[in-house]
Amino acid sequence: MKNTLKLWMLLVIALSIASCTDNSDNPVVNTTLEEALANTHLFSDIKENPDKEAMERKKKGELDYLSQYSMFIEQPVNHNQPDADKFKQKVSILFRGFDRPTILVTEGYIWKQFHDAEDIGINLKANMVHVEHRNFGESFNQDRGKWEFETSAQASADLHAVYLALKPIFKGKWMSFGTSKSGESSIDYAYYYPGDMDLAAAFCSPFNLSLDDKRYGEYLFNEVSTKELRDIMKESIRIALKDGEEGFYKKACEEFKKKELPVPSFAEYVYNTFDTFFTLFQYTLPSKQKKGIESIIETESSLVAAICNNIAGFRNKDLYTYFVDCAKEQGFPNVGYDYFADLLEGTSFKPENVLPSELHSEDRWLVKYYDNSVRTDMSKNFFVNSTVPLLFYYSQDDPWSAGKPEKIGPNAKMIINPIGVHSPKINDPAYCPADVKQEVMDYIRTYIY
């Protein structure tokens, strides 16, 4: 009886101690994610289930998660003056558990679904935090039009602030991830804040070394696909550029006039002639490339139509900040103009005129202020000596692979997919062989578990 009484008293004391324990460093004890987010007092406009597509896929059993939210966090336009102008930045969360790893999707553009990071998120059963890039989508700020603070340093500081706000909630391992320009943001973030992430990943991401990086033309005309298709591409470009501003360009202008749209400049037409084929290889599996290129060049009309469609996409207003980022720091691909110098000689074409005219006007020529010091330091030092584990993934026939790091160190890994496109899709064997997927996930799980 005495022993029973002793045990009962010990249990009461233990429960009393547990109830008095300070949980201030763990805001998710006995709370929902929505409550935990609200308790930070850093997020506003918290909304549940913003991604209807994700909801439908969850119903079909294609996507597994507990809940999803979108919200806004207040950020300084200039993080060096945190009390000055502010803006609201969009953040979205796909939630799988407080104790799960977290993928910070470092979006380089406007907010979109988690598709690019989804395969890795599914394999890790990880939370996904998606941060829209400043000056895209709903995350515009007062600097838009002046662009003084549209820099990799400021964008990385945005990500750092989001991480600091959410780390007390998601206490597991963290990795940053992005595809294409978003992957550049992932590596930029690791460069400026090497103590935040346990791993930084960039998939299909170019790291340009100049404003007019010529590696892309060399790769496009010598490395992608087969010699047969590359020769067809070269001949098709020659046809489209023949007679300069008096040739096919006039036909393209007529198409825009019919639709009562502004006619393209000759520089815009030239770039999009190259980019029509660049984009084909960027997104088309090797087994489908021949059919794709044949559909473009079937007739003169189909070739002109393909170039005009590319120009229309190129004019997407959501891409404008992308051009600013290129003009200020990230550089721009030279898609092979030198290979056709004989056709461009004597025309009005200049590579810098590919960028919107507002970016190189006489009074505010951003191209003049191109600063590649960060990209140069990354190439020479950070990729080689990073203390943050880095993962780079590229696809052989994706022309953007020309911009892959030229040298990496022992704390970095580069994986080349022989059949992929400009998107990870590592869970789809049509796009990623099983051994490549295994190599990707083994490396990630070395640091994220």
Side-chain angles (χ1 to χ4, degrees), residues 220 229 233 274-285 288-296 310 397 399 421:
L220 180 63
L229 294 188
M233 170 176 58
F274 286 81
D275 194 57
T276 297
F277 295 96
F278 191 103
T279 302
L280 169 73
F281 290 116
Q282 176 181 346
Y283 289 115
T284 309
L285 286 169
K288 300 179 180 179
Q289 288 168 358
K290 187 171 184 179
K291 185 176 181 180
I293 204 167
E294 286 174 346
S295 68
I296 291 173
N310 211 78
D397 278 359
V421 296

Side-chain angles (χ1 to χ4, degrees), residues 5-103:
L5 183 60
K6 273 185 182 180
L7 287 171
W8 174 250
M9 290 177 67
L10 286 171
L11 178 61
V12 170
I13 292 169
L15 290 171
S16 299
I17 292 172
S19 66
C20 294
T21 299
D22 181 10
N23 284 316
S24 60
D25 64 338
N26 188 358
V28 298
V29 172
N30 297 323
T31 192
T32 66
L33 174 59
E34 187 171 6
E35 290 169 339
L37 293 169
N39 289 340
T40 67
H41 304 293
L42 295 172
F43 297 103
S44 62
D45 302 318
I46 300 172
K47 295 178 181 177
E48 191 172 11
N49 296 323
D51 187 346
K52 304 305 179 187
E53 181 184 334
M55 291 175 63
E56 288 301 314
R57 296 182 63 208
K58 183 179 181 181
K59 288 178 183 177
K60 295 177 182 177
E62 298 173 357
L63 193 60
D64 181 31
Y65 63 89
L66 299 176
S67 58
Q68 51 153 319
Y69 294 90
S70 69
M71 65 215 74
F72 288 87
I73 185 171
E74 189 176 71
Q75 298 275 25
V77 173
N78 176 8
H79 284 270
N80 296 321
Q81 294 181 333
D83 296 326
D85 290 340
K86 305 286 181 66
F87 76 101
K88 287 187 174 183
Q89 185 169 38
K90 187 170 184 177
V91 178
S92 301
I93 296 175
L94 197 71
F95 178 56
R96 290 190 169 104
F98 293 116
D99 61 341
R100 300 307 306 155
T102 298
I103 301 173

